[in-house]
Amino acid sequence: MKSIIEVKNFTKKYGSFIAVNDISFSVEEGTIFAFLGPNGAGKSTTINTLCTIFEKTSGTLLINGKDVTTQKNEVRSTIGVVFQDSTLDSKMTIDENLKMHCVFYNIPKKEVEERIQFVLNLVDLLDERKRSVATLSGGMKRRVEIARGLIHYPKVLFLDEPTTGLDPQTRAHIWEYILKLQKERNITIFLTTHYMEEAEICNKIAIIDDGIIVAHDTPYALKKEFTKDNAYITTKNEFELEQLLAQYELKYIKKEGYYKVEAEKIDCLLQVLSLHKENISNIEIKKGTFNDVFLEITGKKIREEA
Ligand SMILES: Nc1ncnc2c1ncn2[C@@H]1O[C@H](COP(=O)(O)OP(=O)(O)OP(=O)(O)O)[C@@H](O)[C@H]1O
């Protein structure tokens, strides 16, 4: 598959401080790519440089083969950007906001109506177009912003925390639209999120920490490499369980009221459970989560809320 975003040896310094340190990665066309990292890791710096807002210190950043430093206009016509903070004019209607954006992008007058209908249809807001932005819910505003980001038919859409602050139902809706854009329009989505279950939906994930890419793979591969399934066992006979776990060389941690046992060697675990079955009062097997991946790789928890 063709790489639509290519970043090679990108470094960004603020004075002598290195915010992004020689990172390289690529994003395949038509995929959803999640860029994750703890606070201050270098996400905004990278996105803003890709979007031609910041200047790089060194390296090469290409979007659809165009250089973000020397071919800014070409890059800008290829990308749509939805930042966290709303930049809609709340005194105007949805329609007026979109029309204003058409002017920024020099969209020929005869195409404006068709484009507005097209993008509002994508986010199910066609019937609301005459409403003032001030009267819209947070989720609707975000949908208008996504529609606006698409008005010049970009190949790549950057979404900086598109669902932050929205309730779970609205978040699910926004994701429907994101997936629709990818599937039906082959638009490449580059997003940041701090919701780990959202990262898991993406095709590829890169994790940046202290300005360095520390992991870059599919969610499945990252989970396979960085998480373990565990059995949570409550027993009536701690002495016997500990002896059996030692005998079958199963790693465990004793917690208040239960044992957390690595479930990797499933044959050994089944033997222990079988031999110990009279004493087991509760057992639960838990799969590793993407939160575990993040914690394992960065040693930091992703923030719960922005
Ligand atoms: N204009 C600036 N001058 C000096 N240092 C900066 C500037 N902008 C960002 N930094 C520093 O660069 C590092 C990376 O910042 P950046 O905003 O890219 O991180 P981030 O991953 O987007 O963080 P967050 O999740 O908090 O938005 C941080 O240590 C930040 O303090």
Side-chain angles (χ1 to χ4, degrees):
M1 219 190 280
K2 177 190 160 195
S3 290
I4 194 147
I5 300 177
E6 287 176 84
V7 175
K8 285 190 197 129
N9 306 112
F10 166 50
T11 293
K12 173 72 183 177
K13 292 184 187 171
Y14 296 107
S16 60
F17 176 72
I18 304 173
V20 177
N21 191 357
D22 194 25
I23 66 168
S24 300
F25 65 91
S26 60
V27 179
E28 288 165 3
E29 184 163 26
T31 60
I32 304 184
F33 178 84
F35 197 49
L36 310 178
N39 289 338
K43 301 181 294 295
S44 303
T45 301
T46 305
I47 293 181
N48 281 306
T49 312
L50 279 169
C51 294
T52 76
I53 297 164
F54 290 179
E55 293 297 332
K56 70 186 182 193
T57 302
S58 59
T60 309
L61 299 94
L62 305 177
I63 297 191
N64 202 28
K66 308 292 180 205
D67 192 302
V68 305
T69 313
T70 57
Q71 296 172 289
K72 283 192 167 61
N73 287 338
E74 287 91 333
V75 169
R76 283 176 192 160
S77 64
T78 310
I79 63 171
V81 185
V82 179
F83 285 121
Q84 268 179 66
D85 299 324
S86 173
T87 51
L88 296 170
D89 190 324
S90 58
K91 291 188 285 306
M92 297 201 298
T93 63
I94 295 177
D95 231 16
E96 288 163 346
N97 268 280
L98 295 181
K99 280 185 182 146
M100 196 169 73
H101 220 62
C102 287
V103 174
F104 289 153
Y105 277 97
N106 289 323
I107 290 168
K109 271 206 173 105
K110 59 180 185 330
E111 281 181 37
V112 167
E113 177 56 26
E114 178 196 318
R115 291 202 186 211
I116 289 180
Q117 285 198 22
F118 177 75
V119 294
L120 286 181
N121 207 14
L122 276 176
V123 294
D124 280 340
L125 283 176
L126 200 49
D127 295 341
E128 316 288 337
R129 59 188 289 181
K130 300 292 176 203
R131 277 179 68 175
S132 156
V133 167
T135 68
L136 304 177
S137 67
M140 285 167 111
K141 280 186 194 152
R142 207 64 58 92
R143 278 151 63 196
V144 177
E145 300 220 40
I146 292 174
R148 192 180 59 174
L150 294 168
I151 201 99
H152 55 294
Y153 297 166
K155 282 176 172 294
V156 181
L157 185 63
F158 287 89
L159 298 172
D160 192 11
E161 304 206 351
T163 59
T164 294
L166 302 177
D167 62 79
Q169 204 187 352
T170 313
R171 279 169 54 198
H173 273 131
I174 297 281
W175 267 96
E176 273 174 36
Y177 301 121
I178 294 175
L179 292 167
K180 192 160 97 175
L181 289 175
Q182 179 205 21
K183 284 206 183 78
E184 294 175 14
R185 299 280 138 203
N186 199 39
I187 292 176
T188 309
I189 314 275
F190 184 114
L191 63 88
T192 64
T193 180
H194 62 273
Y195 298 113
M196 290 295 107
E197 71 276 17
E198 293 187 348
E200 286 196 64
I201 306 171
C202 299
N203 301 100
K204 284 266 176 78
I205 293 173
I207 299 180
I208 184 167
D209 192 18
D210 284 334
I212 291 168
I213 302 257
V214 286
H216 181 201
D217 217 324
T218 62
Y220 175 78
L222 290 175
K223 259 172 110 166
K224 203 157 172 252
E225 186 173 352
F226 293 103
T227 67
K228 293 186 180 73
D229 299 343
N230 289 293
Y232 293 77
I233 306 170
T234 310
T235 176
K236 291 178 219 149
N237 186 341
E238 293 188 345
F239 178 72
E240 186 189 276
L241 179 60
E242 283 181 23
Q243 274 201 323
L244 284 168
L245 291 172
Q247 189 184 330
Y248 283 88
E249 295 179 358
L250 288 172
K251 286 190 196 141
Y252 67 92
I253 303 169
K254 187 178 177 183
K255 302 263 189 182
E256 193 68 35
Y258 65 90
Y259 287 78
K260 181 180 169 188
V261 182
E262 266 185 28
E264 205 112 307
K265 294 194 282 176
I266 195 77
D267 288 353
C268 296
L269 180 64
L270 288 173
Q271 286 285 346
V272 170
L273 296 177
S274 160
L275 292 166
H276 194 61
K277 63 175 182 278
E278 308 296 331
N279 287 310
I280 294 174
S281 38
N282 193 36
I283 172 149
E284 198 180 340
I285 308 278
K286 282 192 189 161
K287 307 285 292 171
T289 66
F290 212 79
N291 261 323
D292 300 335
V293 173
F294 194 85
L295 191 61
E296 177 72 24
I297 294 174
T298 66
K300 297 161 199 160
K301 281 197 171 159
I302 196 128
R303 69 191 189 287
E304 294 299 323
E305 204 40 80

